[in-house]
Every structure is written in C-alpha cells, then in structure tokens.
Amino acid sequence: MLRSICIVSMSNLIEVVDSLEHRIDTLVNRYQALKERHELLEGTIASLDAENKKLKDTLEERQKEINTLKAANALLGSNDYKRETKLKINTLIREIDACMVSLSE
C-alpha cells in the first residue's frame, strides 16, 4: 500500500516537474521574443531621433532664411516687415556699440 502511494506521488511529482519545465520554456521563449522586440524598438527610436534632429535643423535654417528674406524685403521698400527690420538694425547697432566700448577700454 505504501509502495503504491509512493508510486502515485512520484508520478504526480513528475507531472508537476514536466509542467514547470514547459512553463519555464514558454517564459524563456517569450522573454527572448520581447528582448528582440525591445532591441528593434530601440533601433527605431534612435533612427527617429536622428530624423527628428535633422528636421529641426532644417526648420531652423528655413526660419533664418525667412527672417533674412523679410529683412531684405523691408530694405527694398516693402512696408510689411519694416518695424521688425528696424528693431533688428537697432539691436545690431547696440551690439556694435558695446563691442566698440569694450575695445576702447
């Protein structure tokens, strides 16, 4: 009787171990898949960050070009951006005056 109980317990224990082994294998496979997905997403993020920086730089260049064209347009007689151009010129004059004062000291 005791022997049959031990045999039943051993077969249950083997089933439990097999079940645990299967679950561990499943978890390891899922982990590997998630790890690969994570690495792929990190690469995508790096690529998008580089593209975003490039687009920001391009936007900044275009904004500078627009400001330059506005100033040139105002200097050519357009009334649209005269106030902005005058302010910019006044700022540049103040910066030049400050440089001249620091050079004379």
Side-chain angles (χ1 to χ4, degrees):
M1 178 105 175
L2 182 61
R3 188 166 201 195
S4 65
I5 293 174
C6 287
I7 292 173
V8 170
S9 295
M10 283 297 270
S11 74
N12 285 344
L13 183 61
I14 290 172
E15 287 177 22
V16 168
V17 169
D18 287 343
S19 174
L20 283 173
E21 185 178 347
H22 176 70
R23 289 179 186 174
I24 289 171
D25 285 341
T26 302
L27 287 174
V28 167
N29 290 337
R30 286 183 183 173
Y31 170 76
Q32 290 297 332
L34 287 173
K35 185 177 176 183
E36 290 172 8
R37 175 89 171 132
H38 178 72
E39 290 171 359
L40 177 69
L41 290 174
E42 281 183 334
T44 302
I45 288 171
S47 173
L48 290 173
D49 282 344
E51 183 180 352
N52 189 26
K53 183 183 181 323
K54 182 180 175 183
L55 289 172
K56 282 182 180 180
D57 291 343
T58 302
L59 177 62
E60 189 176 309
E61 288 174 20
R62 297 299 184 256
Q63 287 174 336
K64 286 179 184 178
E65 287 176 19
I66 288 171
N67 289 336
T68 301
L69 290 172
K70 284 180 183 179
N73 205 8
L75 290 173
L76 292 173
S78 173
N79 291 328
D80 294 339
Y81 306 106
K82 273 192 178 180
R83 183 180 186 296
E84 292 176 23
T85 304
K86 285 180 183 179
L87 291 174
K88 181 72 173 174
I89 290 171
N90 287 337
T91 302
L92 291 172
I93 290 171
R94 280 193 293 277
E95 288 178 11
I96 291 170
D97 287 342
C99 288
M100 290 173 68
V101 167
S102 68
L103 286 174
S104 65
E105 292 175 352

